[in-house]
Amino acid sequence: MKVLVTDPIADAGIEVLREAGHEVETGYELEGEALLEAVSDTNALIVRSGTEVTADVLEAASELVIVGRAGIGVDNIDIDAATDEGVIVANAPEGNVRAAAEHTVAMAFATARSIPQAHVRLKSGEWAKGDYLGTELNGKTLGIVGLGRVGQEVARKFDSLGMDLVAFDPYISEERADRLGAELVGLEDCLSRADFLTIHTPLTPETEDMISDEELEALGDGYLINVGRGGIVDEDALARKVDDGTVAGAALDVFAEEPLSEDSPLLEHEEVIVTPHLGASTEAAQENVATSTAEQVVAALEGEPVANALNAPSIDESAFPRVEPYIELADTAGKVAAQLLEGRVEGVEVTYEGEIAEEDVELVTASALKGVFEPLEWQVNAVNAPQIADDRGVDVTESKTRQAEDFQSLVSVTVSDGDEEVSVDGTLFADEDPRIVRVDGYRVDAIPHGKMVITRNTDEPGVIGLIGSVMGEHDVNIAGMFNARETHGGEALTVYNVDSEVPEAAKDELETDERIIGVRYITLNGQS
């Protein structure tokens, strides 16, 4: 498959892709119409921060399976549009964690001890020893905004330097913060108590300019460090607060617009230290993010779970072999149920019984939804199926029970239109052999593959013979048959595997017989 890399990554990542048998093309200058043309036949796209992956790009990439971000920040990728198009977005959050944390420590020391300023003056011939009185970090309080992966690594490093830690993060538990030696507090308290403030949150509409005049006033005579994402700190406000002495100093590696403009007010102040987005610029970090991203691309193209998918169900690599056989089974059960339901799908329930109920089944449920929606001719996969359900107001429920009466594991998909519902149950026999074992409570043993016909009829002599005769008259060969009934003489349900499409004329002929309650032709595995 074709992988397009539009921002430079380490050679180790390119090698991972080529060793997996994929064609790798690079286009580091692509933009506009040239980018749209280049992605038109691309199966995977790898970017860093330089490429804007917009809705237009995603729409143009009709063969795209995954966008891999070689790094942590994804504000240059339209994740909502990717989800709508069924494209996985994955990043490499671990690869540069240590590098970013180390640069944060370096920037803190640099601003606390005026290292760059003293360096410049000494190189110009000035021995300015008396002009700089530094601040020790030991015994001071570090405020951390954002206790994600980098924030946690930063907490560990500064804790070892003898600093007290306070942190603001509405998405982390107090227990986790305690384990890091940090006191979890509100933003205002974090700012007012901090001697040094470091920021490690993603850039979102909620965090844009989160640190502005009021927050910097609360920080007071402290130091601000940002090696996270540009745009979170209001740069004009910071320049003003450093200029009037409210803030003692700042060290920034990231900016709202990069490269930093030559007329930025941040460049006017000696107390503001700036570096050109060097947080992840170590040899080890670059290799780590490249190989991590490449490995996720390879997994996506092979239909395996993607470890750091941001918009798709993911699963631990060690658990995937136990869950994998149920993915297609759930997809098939969803397809059968949706094609049996005559009304509009308004609700989907996926139920797990037995051993499968003990597993992480998010990916299996997404596959069941994919199966439900696929026969309705929506462009759907496991990435966008949950979003399609939400967009269309389809109520989705998932339930688990470790008790299974007849099977070691059972997956059930039930679809409803508000009044009527259809339920299809599947399991795995020996050697991971998938079977449909119940349809609306009727016990069957059907092989879920290819083309199927499901009939409901009265349980009386001659009906199955009639069905076989009509099929034969229309050149439809029956490859297998599985029959079940409620009671003797009651209603029966039969599943037929057939070798060719069943024409409408055959179904019409069958349904004219009063003993035939209904006939449904079902296609699976992409057949028609």
Side-chain angles (χ1 to χ4, degrees):
M1 292 188 176
K2 177 182 172 182
V3 181
L4 177 63
V5 183
T6 57
D7 294 314
I9 65 171
D11 290 342
I14 302 291
E15 191 60 29
V16 168
L17 296 165
R18 288 180 172 150
E19 286 181 356
H22 299 297
E23 174 192 353
V24 181
E25 293 185 6
T26 59
Y28 302 148
E29 305 297 327
L30 289 172
E31 59 182 19
E33 290 297 325
L35 177 59
L36 297 181
E37 183 178 349
V39 299
S40 62
D41 62 346
T42 293
N43 304 109
L45 176 64
I46 294 180
V47 303
R48 299 202 61 173
S49 59
T51 301
E52 291 291 327
V53 186
T54 63
D56 288 341
V57 171
L58 291 158
E59 186 177 355
S62 59
E63 304 298 319
L64 197 61
V65 175
I66 181 171
V67 177
R69 166 63 164 96
I72 189 169
V74 291
D75 40 283
N76 58 314
I77 302 171
D78 190 331
I79 295 179
D80 290 340
T83 302
D84 290 342
E85 297 291 340
V87 175
I88 300 169
V89 177
N91 65 350
E94 300 288 354
N96 57 15
V97 167
R98 185 175 292 107
E102 288 184 0
H103 196 62
T104 301
V105 174
M107 294 289 264
F109 277 117
T111 189
R113 301 302 297 269
S114 302
I115 293 171
Q117 299 94 321
H119 166 81
V120 169
R121 292 181 67 179
L122 183 56
K123 293 281 273 189
S124 65
E126 294 184 67
W127 186 263
K129 179 178 180 180
D131 291 351
Y132 297 107
L133 184 64
T135 299
E136 293 186 12
L137 273 62
N138 180 58
K140 300 298 191 300
T141 297
L142 177 73
I144 307 173
V145 178
L147 268 180
R149 292 178 176 89
V150 177
Q152 291 180 28
E153 185 67 18
V154 165
R156 295 185 188 96
K157 293 186 182 303
F158 280 100
D159 183 52
S160 69
L161 293 173
M163 298 192 77
D164 297 323
L165 308 179
V166 294
F168 168 71
D169 191 324
Y171 303 106
I172 198 169
S173 67
E174 288 189 13
E175 180 184 2
R176 180 60 177 161
D178 286 342
R179 288 204 299 269
L180 294 164
E183 180 185 352
L184 207 57
V185 297
L187 179 59
E188 184 177 351
D189 198 11
C190 181
L191 291 162
S192 63
R193 292 171 60 180
D195 298 301
F196 292 81
L197 183 76
T198 181
I199 300 164
H200 304 285
T201 68
L203 178 63
T204 67
E206 290 74 27
T207 62
E208 186 174 8
D209 288 339
M210 180 173 69
I211 306 299
S212 192
D213 289 271
E214 185 177 340
E215 291 75 23
L216 293 168
E217 285 284 350
L219 177 62
D221 190 26
Y223 298 87
L224 182 142
I225 302 120
N226 188 12
V227 184
R229 303 301 296 173
I232 296 170
V233 176
D234 181 338
E235 294 169 8
D236 290 337
L238 177 61
R240 289 193 299 270
K241 296 305 178 184
V242 172
D243 189 48
D244 66 18
T246 301
V247 174
L252 307 176
D253 184 52
V254 290
F255 309 93
E257 297 292 336
E258 297 182 0
L260 184 64
S261 171
E262 293 180 0
D263 60 1
S264 169
L266 297 173
L267 299 177
E268 299 175 5
H269 297 281
E270 184 178 323
E271 295 81 6
V272 178
I273 297 168
V274 291
T275 54
H277 206 145
L278 299 179
S281 293
T282 68
E283 185 175 345
Q286 294 304 299
E287 184 166 316
N288 288 341
V289 298
T291 56
S292 173
T293 304
E295 287 165 358
Q296 293 185 83
V297 166
V298 170
L301 295 180
E302 293 180 355
E304 296 180 356
V306 177
N308 295 311
L310 301 176
N311 65 334
S314 59
I315 187 172
D316 185 84
E317 192 173 328
S318 63
F320 182 64
R322 299 191 299 273
V323 171
E324 182 180 16
Y326 293 94
I327 293 173
E328 185 173 351
L329 179 66
D331 181 303
T332 299
K335 283 192 182 81
V336 174
Q339 291 178 78
L340 287 175
L341 184 72
E342 296 187 1
R344 176 185 179 274
V345 176
E346 294 187 9
V348 180
E349 181 178 6
V350 187
T351 303
Y352 301 91
E353 298 179 18
E355 291 182 359
I356 185 63
E358 299 178 7
E359 302 290 346
D360 177 358
V361 293
E362 182 185 12
L363 182 57
V364 183
T365 297
S367 297
L369 293 176
K370 169 185 174 291
V372 168
F373 296 136
E374 197 166 40
L376 305 178
E377 299 182 4
W378 299 342
Q379 187 176 350
V380 59
N381 58 23
V383 176
N384 60 14
Q387 185 62 49
I388 286 175
D390 186 60
D391 291 344
R392 295 180 177 267
V394 176
D395 185 36
V396 179
T397 57
E398 178 186 292
S399 60
K400 293 181 175 182
T401 175
R402 295 186 179 182
Q403 303 300 317
E405 293 183 4
D406 302 317
F407 304 97
Q408 193 169 358
S409 289
L410 192 74
V411 177
S412 302
V413 180
T414 302
V415 297
S416 66
D417 62 4
D419 296 316
E420 303 292 332
E421 66 177 32
V422 175
S423 180
V424 176
D425 302 353
T427 193
L428 298 173
F429 286 178
D431 299 322
E432 299 182 350
D433 183 20
R435 296 295 177 90
I436 298 297
V437 293
R438 279 199 292 263
V439 177
D440 262 0
Y442 289 94
R443 180 71 168 86
V444 297
D445 182 10
I447 300 171
H449 182 78
K451 305 171 181 67
M452 302 169 67
V453 176
I454 298 180
T455 65
R456 293 177 185 268
N457 53 270
T458 57
D459 179 38
E460 56 184 282
V463 178
I464 290 177
L466 167 70
I467 294 170
S469 297
V470 171
M471 293 290 187
E473 291 169 3
H474 289 272
D475 295 322
V476 178
N477 187 56
I478 296 174
M481 184 187 78
F482 311 92
N483 180 255
R485 63 184 182 183
E486 291 178 331
T487 58
H488 178 66
E491 185 175 317
L493 181 144
T494 308
V495 180
Y496 300 88
N497 287 106
V498 296
D499 291 335
S500 58
E501 183 176 354
V502 178
E504 286 294 328
K507 291 186 285 181
D508 293 342
E509 184 176 343
L510 287 171
E511 289 177 342
T512 59
D513 191 295
E514 62 183 13
R515 295 170 296 177
I516 305 295
I517 299 167
V519 179
R520 301 292 286 182
Y521 171 63
I522 291 171
T523 60
L524 301 172
N525 311 109
Q527 299 194 24
S528 60

